[in-house]
Amino acid sequence: MSSKFSGTVALVTGASSGIGYATAHALAELGARVVVVARRKDRLDSLVSAIEQSGGTALAIACDISDRASAEAAVRQTVDCFGRLDILINNAGVMIIGPVVENEVEDWERMISLNQQALLYMTKAALPHLKASAQDGTRRVADIVNISSYAGRVASPNFAVYTMTKFGVNGFTEALRQELASSHVRVGVVEPGAVKTELNDHHKGAIGDDIEAFFASIEALDAEDIADGIAYMVTRPRHAAISELWIMPTEQGHRA
Ligand code: NDP
C-alpha cells in the first residue's frame, strides 16, 4: 500500500465489477480512501472487505445513479463520511447493441440515462468538492476521469446509440476540461477497446454469438489494464493533465 494518495478521497461509479472494481483496488493501493458505488450491495461489500484486508479504507454506497437524487446523495454521503472528495471516476455504463430498426427504445433510454445523465448528475454534485480539494488539498489538484469507449471515437453498425452516448461523453469531457483548467480540476477521458468484463455478456442470439466470436479472436484487455491507465492519469504532477487516453488490445483492428 503506497502513501502517495494518503489523505485523498476517490469515488468510483460502477465499482461492483469490471473496470470500476479494478480501479477501486488500484486507487486504494495508491493510498486513497475509496468510495465504491453501484447497485449490487453484496459485490460492493466484498470489495470493501478486500480493500480493508489489504490495509486500505473503503465505503460502499449501493444505489442507482441514474436516479438524480441517489447520485447526489452518494456524493453527499462521501463528503459526510470522509470530509472531502479529490477524485471522481465516472465509470458506470451499459452497452445494449443491435440494429437501430430492431432495438427497443427502453434500451436506448437505459443507455442514455446511465452513460450520460448519471455521469452529469455525479459530476455536478462533485464539482464544488473537487474545486475545494484542488485549492486546499495536499495535491493541490483534483481529477475527474470519464470512461468513454473506442465507440466514442469510431462509429460502427449495431453500436449507434451506445456510440451516441460515448461521443457525447467525449465532447462533454473536453468542454468541461476547458472550463475547469484554471481551477486545477483536471478532466480526462479514457477510451478502452475490448475489455473482458460483464459488459459484453448481456447479449443473446446472433449479436451475443458475434461478441463471443470477436473476443475469442483476439487477446482482449483485462480490467486491470484500464485501471493502470486511470492510475497513470491521476498520478501526474499538478501541471500535467492527460486529457485523453485511448487504450486498445494490440490485436484489435475493429470492434466486431
Ligand atoms: P461492467 O458491466 O463490468 O460494469 C458496469 C458497472 O456499472 C457495474 O459495476 C454495474 O454495477 C454498474 N451499473 C450499472 N447500472 C448502474 C446504475 N444504474 N447505477 C449504478 N451503477 C450501475 O462493465 P465494464 O467494467 O466493462 O464497464 C465500465 C465502463 O467501461 C462502462 O462505461 C463501459 O461503457 C466502458 N467500456 C467497456 C468496454 C469493454 O469492452 N468492457 C469497452 C469500452 C468502454 P451494478 O449492476 O451492481 O449496478
Side-chain angles (χ1 to χ4, degrees):
M1 181 83 44
S2 157
S3 59
K4 195 168 185 110
F5 272 2
S6 68
T8 66
V9 176
L11 188 160
V12 182
T13 69
S16 62
S17 60
I19 293 168
Y21 187 94
T23 302
H25 268 296
L27 297 176
E29 207 43 55
L30 288 165
R33 289 168 286 172
V34 184
V35 179
V36 293
V37 178
R39 292 165 306 173
R40 286 170 293 179
K41 188 170 182 327
D42 53 333
R43 297 278 200 103
L44 295 178
D45 287 343
S46 44
L47 172 59
V48 167
S49 300
I51 289 173
E52 287 174 348
Q53 271 164 26
S54 311
T57 304
L59 169 72
I61 302 179
C63 68
D64 177 351
I65 58 167
S66 61
D67 172 63
R68 179 177 162 191
S70 302
E72 290 169 352
V75 171
R76 221 173 22 251
Q77 202 181 327
T78 299
V79 177
D80 286 350
C81 182
F82 292 125
R84 57 187 303 111
L85 178 59
D86 302 86
I87 298 170
L88 171 65
I89 312 293
N90 280 316
N91 164 74
V94 63
M95 180 184 83
I96 308 160
I97 57 174
V100 168
V101 72
E102 291 172 17
N103 280 165
E104 301 292 342
V105 171
E106 289 73 17
D107 289 337
W108 295 348
E109 289 169 346
R110 234 182 105 199
M111 284 191 280
I112 292 166
S113 77
L114 183 61
N115 301 2
Q116 297 195 316
Q117 287 179 331
L119 180 146
L120 297 177
Y121 302 150
M122 294 300 298
T123 301
K124 175 113 172 130
L127 268 178
H129 307 292
L130 295 170
K131 280 181 151 185
S133 293
Q135 266 195 336
D136 63 21
T138 50
R139 296 195 312 143
R140 294 196 306 119
V141 70
D143 286 282
I144 299 174
V145 179
N146 294 330
I147 309 307
S148 175
S149 173
Y150 172 70
R153 299 181 61 102
V154 178
S156 335
N158 294 331
F159 286 81
V161 177
Y162 181 70
T163 286
M164 188 186 91
T165 66
K166 296 299 190 177
F167 268 65
V169 168
N170 284 21
F172 173 72
T173 302
E174 176 54 17
L176 187 63
R177 185 192 72 75
Q178 293 176 27
E179 282 183 27
L180 297 176
S182 63
S183 61
H184 288 93
V185 178
R186 298 182 293 207
V187 190
V189 69
V190 179
E191 296 139 334
V195 190
K196 286 173 269 174
T197 69
E198 293 174 15
L199 187 89
N200 298 290
D201 297 342
H202 303 309
H203 296 87
K204 309 256 177 296
I207 295 270
D209 293 345
D210 281 354
I211 292 176
E212 212 178 308
F214 173 69
F215 270 86
S217 72
I218 60 162
E219 188 181 353
L221 296 166
D222 293 314
E224 288 72 18
D225 296 317
I226 310 305
D228 269 358
I230 295 168
Y232 176 77
M233 289 170 79
V234 299
T235 50
R236 292 312 84 208
R238 182 177 187 253
H239 65 273
I242 309 296
S243 52
E244 184 174 21
L245 195 60
W246 185 5
I247 310 176
M248 293 295 284
T250 307
E251 296 174 357
Q252 182 176 352
H254 62 92
R255 179 58 182 82

